[in-house]
Amino acid sequence: MTDIPPPILAPTVFRTATGIGVMLAMAALLLRTAFSQGLVTQALMVAAALAALALAYAMWRGRSDSLNWTQDGLTDEAGRLIAARGDIEAVDRNPMALKPSNGFTLRMKTAQTRGWQPGLYWRIRSRVGVGGLTSPGVAKALADRIALDIAGVI
């Protein structure tokens, strides 16, 4: 059973395109309505539109990134360690848990540095959320594989 490679979690093309499209549409609507408002409201709406454009760019930049379960733990395509294998306390796929859409949360034993790749993962304090723009089936398979690995079954 250990010769079965763990799944590679990557954003799907359709979900990524939808996410980027929604952010661009929101930025366009904010900019369109901003110029019919007062000065303070106009500035806030332009700032929100710029934030939406930055988020769309971050999604576009990370569209080819992926997460891999290795001997060290959960890493991204560039080899950066997202969650160390020995530091993972539990995997939470509960529907009521604070987790990304179609994803799961890793509870860590120690606090982590903050990190974020839109649609792929976020890392705050002792939690790492994985998923968002990823395939639900692959995310579930990866969560199960991580849970079995940290339980010592595999």
Side-chain angles (χ1 to χ4, degrees):
M1 184 129 173
T2 57
D3 11 334
I4 299 172
I8 297 172
L9 190 64
T12 63
V13 174
F14 178 73
R15 289 174 188 265
T16 304
T18 302
I20 292 170
V22 166
M23 289 294 110
L24 292 175
M26 185 171 76
L29 288 172
L30 282 167
L31 288 174
R32 182 172 182 253
T33 57
F35 297 110
S36 64
Q37 304 295 320
L39 187 60
V40 174
T41 306
Q42 184 177 10
L44 290 173
M45 291 179 96
V46 168
L50 291 175
L53 288 173
L55 183 59
Y57 176 71
M59 280 190 216
W60 179 77
R61 192 184 61 223
R63 73 192 183 284
S64 62
D65 206 359
S66 64
L67 296 180
N68 306 308
W69 181 242
T70 64
Q71 293 297 327
D72 298 329
L74 190 64
T75 61
D76 67 1
E77 195 172 62
R80 290 183 298 261
L81 188 63
I82 307 300
R85 182 183 287 260
D87 202 22
I88 298 174
E89 185 178 349
V91 178
D92 193 2
R93 289 192 302 122
N94 181 354
M96 301 304 289
L98 176 63
K99 63 181 181 62
S101 172
N102 299 317
F104 57 93
T105 300
L106 300 174
R107 285 185 306 183
M108 310 299 285
K109 295 175 184 171
T110 60
Q112 306 293 306
T113 58
R114 280 186 262 160
W116 179 51
Q117 175 61 48
L120 200 54
Y121 76 90
W122 50 258
R123 187 175 51 210
I124 300 172
R125 297 189 185 179
S126 62
R127 302 222 184 256
V128 177
V130 178
L133 298 177
T134 59
S135 167
V138 177
K140 181 179 179 185
L142 182 59
D144 289 343
R145 175 65 184 256
I146 293 171
L148 289 172
D149 272 2
I150 64 172
V153 175
I154 295 182

